[in-house]
Amino acid sequence: MIKGIVGEKIGMTQIYNDNGRTIPVTVVKAGPCKVVQIKTAEKDGYEAVQLGFDKIKEKKVTKPLLGHFKKAQVHPHRYLMEIRMSIQGLTVGQDIHLDIFEKGEKVDVTGISKGKGFAGVMKRHGYHGGPGSHGSMFNRAPGSIGSSSYPSRVWKGKGMPGHLGSKRVTLKGLEVVDIKKEQNILLIKGAIPGATGGFLIISKP
Amino acid sequence: MNAIRLIEESQKREITSFGIGDTVKVYLKIVEGDKERIQVFEGTVIGRKGSGSRETFTVRKVSFGIGVERILPLHSPMIDKIEVVKKGDVRRAKLYYLRGKKGKSARIKEKE
């Protein structure tokens, strides 16, 4: 059974539901995907399906990758993603559409979060910082990072400034508000990780 | 962007045209339990905001000496209909100055 599909974030808007309330939705272009490779327990040690999404010109892919697509007799795609699922009834070259989802169903969405660059501890870890005024010179600094004689070192995992974002993030249990089959459009309630045009995996839990 | 526009177009409904400064009657559907009734909110339109299916408008009235404003989504299915009672003649797009006025100075000239 197909558990997931690959898509692209298009943007956000709002729609009116049956009760007349406005609800925020993210518009996602999901599929159609092609099965490029099927991984089996005998050969690869686990079962998974590799999906291709967003067709591109042949000259846009590297030669090794082109060979991989040629082997499956599939047009080259921009994104290749492996999703672990049972492979029963699947064949290489098969099309996968978003009709695997139903209206009102809960899905998990994986994306790459927006990059925030080198961020301080307030933005990155939610530290409270110090007072902004009244002569305070301790504004956004992290403060003490540990004690002296014990442990005489900084604990592992201590929140420090550093790179924030551009990370794989999964949001679980998001509601599918609407499905527009002809346009391959999925409306998912609320916000989704990543920038507009970002690559997403929408899967069933 | 095109996909979003299509979705927003499909959310739009037919709207009686009205402008800023007009006095309107908004017929709102109110759901109480499983019963639905219509409530009328009459007041002056003091602003319109946003575009497409996301557009909202603000209606202000003075009820028992207390100013009441409601911000309503223009294309909301909760609005049964909108009726224009009086056309107002104003020079501004947002009539927020009405909030600080009362009595005679809070009036709006009627359009001929």
Side-chain angles (χ1 to χ4, degrees):
Chain A
M1 201 197 69
I2 295 286
K3 263 181 77 179
I5 200 164
V6 185
E8 183 190 345
K9 178 163 158 182
I10 292 182
M12 285 191 77
T13 183
Q14 64 181 32
I15 61 166
Y16 296 103
N17 71 358
D18 299 336
N19 300 327
R21 298 272 166 205
T22 53
I23 41 173
V25 291
T26 306
V27 182
V28 173
K29 186 177 186 290
C33 294
K34 277 255 193 235
V35 176
V36 181
Q37 191 186 1
I38 290 176
K39 298 210 166 178
T40 58
E42 297 90 65
K43 205 172 166 207
D44 307 285
Y46 63 99
E47 288 189 343
V49 174
Q50 193 183 62
L51 298 176
F53 171 67
D54 197 5
K55 275 184 192 166
I56 49 170
K57 280 183 194 162
E58 235 172 66
K59 66 169 186 188
K60 293 261 184 191
V61 290
T62 58
K63 264 192 174 174
L65 209 52
L66 189 62
H68 180 64
F69 285 116
K70 284 256 168 75
K71 191 179 167 194
Q73 291 179 325
V74 170
H75 192 88
H77 289 77
R78 190 181 303 275
Y79 300 113
L80 277 179
M81 209 62 227
E82 199 175 288
I83 302 174
R84 280 193 118 160
M85 58 174 121
S86 135
I87 55 164
Q88 259 181 349
L90 287 174
T91 50
V92 172
Q94 188 184 343
D95 276 314
I96 289 171
H97 294 280
L98 46 73
D99 48 13
I100 54 169
F101 297 113
E102 276 169 42
K103 221 169 148 172
E105 201 177 21
K106 298 272 193 250
V107 291
D108 297 348
V109 179
T110 305
I112 309 290
S113 63
K114 277 188 184 174
K116 311 283 182 192
F118 192 95
V121 287
M122 283 179 70
K123 192 185 181 86
R124 192 168 183 232
H125 298 292
Y127 286 15
H128 289 282
S133 58
H134 292 296
S136 166
M137 280 149 80
F138 179 72
N139 299 328
R140 300 184 65 91
S144 166
I145 55 169
S147 315
S148 140
S149 62
Y150 178 79
S152 274
R153 62 184 174 89
V154 176
W155 292 116
K156 250 188 184 177
K158 174 70 196 156
M160 295 279 208
H163 190 269
L164 175 63
S166 305
K167 227 172 86 181
R168 187 185 160 111
V169 176
T170 303
L171 288 187
K172 290 183 170 183
L174 303 180
E175 188 189 332
V176 176
V177 177
D178 204 0
I179 295 167
K180 300 197 184 297
K181 232 176 244 176
E182 320 80 60
Q183 301 150 30
N184 291 307
I185 294 285
L186 212 56
L187 300 186
I188 296 172
K189 189 173 172 182
I192 276 172
T196 296
F199 155 78
L200 301 167
I201 303 168
I202 303 113
S203 60
K204 295 188 188 195
Chain B
M1 265 337 207
N2 200 13
I4 291 182
R5 194 164 299 159
L6 273 173
I7 291 162
E8 290 187 349
E9 281 305 315
S10 71
Q11 294 288 310
K12 277 193 183 175
R13 306 193 314 150
E14 281 218 5
I15 303 296
T16 333
S17 81
F18 62 90
I20 317 298
D22 292 0
T23 304
V24 292
K25 271 185 181 175
V26 187
Y27 291 76
L28 296 162
K29 288 181 201 161
I30 309 278
V31 180
E32 281 167 341
D34 49 356
K35 260 192 279 177
E36 197 183 85
R37 64 183 176 86
I38 302 283
Q39 194 182 62
V40 185
F41 189 84
E42 187 176 346
T44 317
V45 178
I46 63 165
R48 285 172 77 147
K49 206 173 179 179
S51 65
S53 67
R54 299 182 312 274
E55 186 171 346
T56 59
F57 64 106
T58 309
V59 185
R60 177 183 169 85
K61 75 168 176 187
V62 178
S63 165
F64 301 107
I66 292 166
V68 179
E69 282 179 20
R70 287 201 72 164
I71 303 167
L72 299 157
L74 188 60
H75 294 276
S76 168
M78 297 310 276
I79 295 174
D80 190 47
K81 62 174 176 179
I82 300 167
E83 224 175 72
V84 180
V85 181
K86 235 175 10 183
K87 285 252 171 210
D89 190 6
V90 290
R91 293 187 175 197
R92 258 151 260 278
K94 304 278 187 282
L95 308 181
Y96 296 148
Y97 67 87
L98 285 179
R99 289 170 178 167
K101 292 189 184 293
K102 52 185 177 184
K104 271 190 177 175
S105 62
R107 285 175 305 175
I108 288 172
K109 235 192 299 172
E110 196 170 346
K111 213 175 222 170
E112 310 290 294

